[in-house]
Amino acid sequence: MRIWDLPVRLFHWLLVLLVGSAWWTAEEHLIGPHRLIGYTILTLVVFRLAWGFWGSTTARFSHFVRGPGGVASYIGNDLFRRGTVSGPGHNPLGGWSVIAMLALLLAQPLLGLFAIDVDGLESGPFAHFVSFDTGRWAAETHELVFNLLMVVIALHVLAILFYRVFKGENLVSSMFTGSRDASGDAAGLRFVSPGLALLLVVAVGVIVWLLVAGFGQT
C-alpha cells in the first residue's frame, strides 16, 4: 500500500543529513557552512508546514493530528497490542511527535538568525536588530533547543525500534519505498504531484534568501 509521497520522504532524509551536518559544523566552528545549513533547514521546515495543508493526504496535519482523546484511545487500545498494524500515515501518538519535531526545527534556525556569540564577533544575520543581551539569550536558547531536538530524535529512534521488534512494522523501509502494509481504507488517499512540492520549496527558498540578503545587513 502506498503511504508516503516522494516529497515527504526526501524531506525526512534530507533533514537527517542536515541536522547532523549542523551539529558538526557548529562543533568545528565552521560558521559559514553552519549558516547555509540553517537557511536550508528553515526552507525545508516552512515547506513541510505548507505541505501539511496542501500536500498529499498522509502528509496533511488534518490526517494525523488528533486531540487528547484520540491519543489516549490509541495508547490504551492499540499501542501495546502485538500484530496490530496502524492505518495509513502517522498514528495519533506519532502525529504529535511530528508536531514537536517541526516546532523545534523551526525554532532552531529562527533563533540562530538573532544569535550573538560571547565575543559578539560571530552573529546571526539579524543580530543587529536586537540588543547584545537578547542576542546572547537567542544563542543560549538556540543551544537548548538543539538539545531538546536530540531528545525528540532519540525518542523517535526508540519508537522505530519498538514498532519493529514489538509490532513487526518496518517504518524505516517504508520511508525509503513509500509503501507498507497498513490497515484502514487507503483507497481515498490523494497524492499530489511532486512538481507542486518543488515549486513550494523554490518559492520558500527564494523568500528565505531574499530576507537574509535584504535584512541581514549591518
Side-chain angles (χ1 to χ4, degrees), residues 8-197:
V8 165
R9 286 179 281 145
L10 287 176
F11 167 82
H12 180 277
W13 294 116
L14 283 173
L15 275 183
V16 172
L17 294 174
L18 289 169
V19 170
S21 299
W23 169 82
W24 182 78
T25 52
E27 290 294 308
E28 297 297 322
H29 303 288
L30 301 173
I31 302 302
H34 187 74
R35 286 176 176 171
L36 294 177
I37 291 168
Y39 303 155
T40 305
I41 290 175
L42 180 58
T43 298
L44 289 177
V45 172
V46 174
F47 153 75
R48 182 61 183 89
L49 293 175
W51 204 241
F53 294 98
W54 299 300
S56 302
T57 302
T58 51
R60 296 190 179 192
F61 301 127
S62 60
H63 184 80
F64 60 81
V65 176
R66 297 289 181 266
V71 175
S73 176
Y74 174 77
I75 294 174
N77 299 324
D78 295 319
L79 180 59
F80 296 105
R81 288 177 58 190
R82 288 183 178 271
T84 59
V85 181
S86 58
H90 296 292
N91 61 61
L93 189 60
W96 280 105
S97 72
V98 171
I99 297 300
M101 193 171 296
L102 287 176
L104 292 172
L105 286 167
L106 180 62
Q108 184 72 1
L110 288 178
L111 287 165
L113 294 175
F114 297 91
I116 300 175
D117 71 353
V118 175
D119 299 323
L121 299 176
E122 295 293 348
S123 305
F126 294 170
H128 56 280
F129 287 117
V130 299
S131 67
F132 179 81
D133 289 340
T134 301
R136 287 302 304 142
W137 173 86
E140 292 169 359
T141 309
H142 181 75
E143 184 175 353
L144 172 63
V145 168
F146 183 81
N147 292 333
L148 292 175
L149 182 60
M150 291 301 98
V151 172
V152 173
I153 290 174
L155 292 174
H156 181 66
V157 172
L158 289 174
I160 290 172
L161 292 174
F162 171 81
Y163 275 86
R164 185 70 181 95
V165 174
F166 188 81
K167 299 175 78 67
E169 291 190 60
N170 191 339
L171 302 182
V172 175
S173 175
S174 66
M175 193 52 71
F176 276 111
T177 65
S179 302
R180 68 176 171 86
D181 294 334
S183 62
D185 181 17
L189 295 183
R190 173 176 174 267
F191 292 92
V192 182
S193 168
L196 176 60

Side-chain angles (χ1 to χ4, degrees), residues 7 40 43-44 47-48 194-207:
T40 305
T43 298
L44 289 177
F47 153 75
R48 182 61 183 89
L196 176 60
L198 179 60
L199 288 175
L200 280 173
V201 170
V202 172
V204 173
V206 169
I207 292 171

